[in-house]
Amino acid sequence: MVLTLAIYIGLVLGLTWAELKEIPKAQQTLKPAAALGFIFIAVISGALDHQYGKLILFGLAACAAGDLLLLSRTSQKLFLAGMAAFAIGHLAYISAFVGIQPYQFSVSGIIQAGVILFIGAGIYVWLNPHLPKDMRFAVKIYVFIILMMVITALELPARGPLTLAIAGAVMFAMSDIFVARDRFVTPSPRNTLAITPLYFGAQALIALSTIPAI
């Protein structure tokens, strides 16, 4: 596992450099390799040994498909297809999280969910003026799905490998904020300094949460 993680970190650092320097061939090689990396991490962590792991593995595979679709930075259709793939991935994560710790209504849980939804609404209000009109509905749905992913992750018991899923879910949402900034608000290669480490770090943590100590 140590060697696998070391190779994975190397791939992510290489991809970050390739995206910062805008080197298409390196991006097209390193991004799929890194995506396969987080899937492999889940498999060797024991994802196939229990239902939680299988759902997480499905979500990781859906996100990997989204990564491939988003290799193109010019096609709106591919961008929407990539969003759909990531939405499917988030829904798989939600199913996994709820299956481990079904959401229970409590005052603290409701307040926590309300705060997250309020923050998400604020982010959408900031983003909305920059969105093409024909993408606003799709982005709104996607934002809601990822917020629900974070809410259900925060309901997980903070013990053992599941703490990694909690951190991963939050990091994933943070990376998506920078993706939206890069795509719609302030495009810049520098955004990758936040996007790539946060996203691939999040996926690795979620993959490692499948270690069967849950």
Side-chain angles (χ1 to χ4, degrees):
M1 177 64 81
V2 174
L3 178 59
T4 298
L5 291 176
I7 293 171
Y8 182 76
I9 290 170
L11 288 171
V12 173
L13 290 175
L15 176 59
T16 303
W17 174 81
E19 294 190 330
L20 183 62
K21 297 298 183 179
E22 298 184 284
I23 306 173
K25 288 185 178 180
Q27 293 170 350
Q28 292 164 9
T29 301
L30 292 171
K31 194 167 191 178
L36 286 174
F38 57 65
I39 292 174
F40 184 68
I41 289 170
V43 171
I44 65 174
S45 295
L48 294 172
D49 296 335
H50 46 84
Q51 184 63 21
Y52 170 84
K54 291 175 183 176
L55 286 168
I56 291 295
L57 188 58
F58 178 81
L60 291 168
C63 290
D67 286 327
L68 296 179
L69 290 166
L70 293 184
L71 281 172
S72 170
R73 295 181 180 272
T74 57
S75 171
Q76 184 169 310
K77 289 184 178 179
L78 287 178
F79 182 78
L80 287 171
M83 279 181 57
F86 280 111
I88 291 170
H90 294 319
L91 290 171
Y93 294 161
I94 291 169
S95 297
F97 298 156
V98 171
I100 291 295
Q101 183 72 24
Y103 188 82
Q104 298 177 353
F105 289 100
S106 65
V107 174
S108 61
I110 292 172
I111 293 174
Q112 181 174 264
V115 169
I116 293 170
L117 290 172
F118 179 78
I119 293 172
I123 292 170
Y124 182 79
V125 168
W126 158 70
L127 187 60
N128 187 58
H130 305 281
L131 295 173
K133 289 184 179 180
D134 58 349
M135 291 189 67
R136 288 177 181 173
F137 180 74
V139 171
K140 188 181 298 184
I141 295 298
Y142 180 83
V143 169
F144 177 75
I145 290 173
I146 195 169
L147 291 175
M148 292 306 299
M149 191 268 290
V150 173
I151 289 169
T152 54
L154 291 175
E155 286 297 311
L156 291 170
R159 65 170 187 267
L162 293 178
T163 58
L164 302 177
I166 297 170
V170 174
M171 288 170 60
F172 204 141
M174 291 173 63
S175 74
D176 271 351
I177 294 172
F178 285 97
V179 169
R181 180 178 187 269
D182 184 61
R183 181 79 184 195
F184 302 113
V185 183
T186 311
S188 169
R190 292 184 180 181
N191 289 316
T192 194
L193 294 173
I195 295 169
T196 304
L198 280 172
Y199 169 73
F200 284 98
Q203 295 288 52
L205 291 177
I206 293 171
L208 287 167
S209 78
T210 64
I211 294 172
I214 53 180

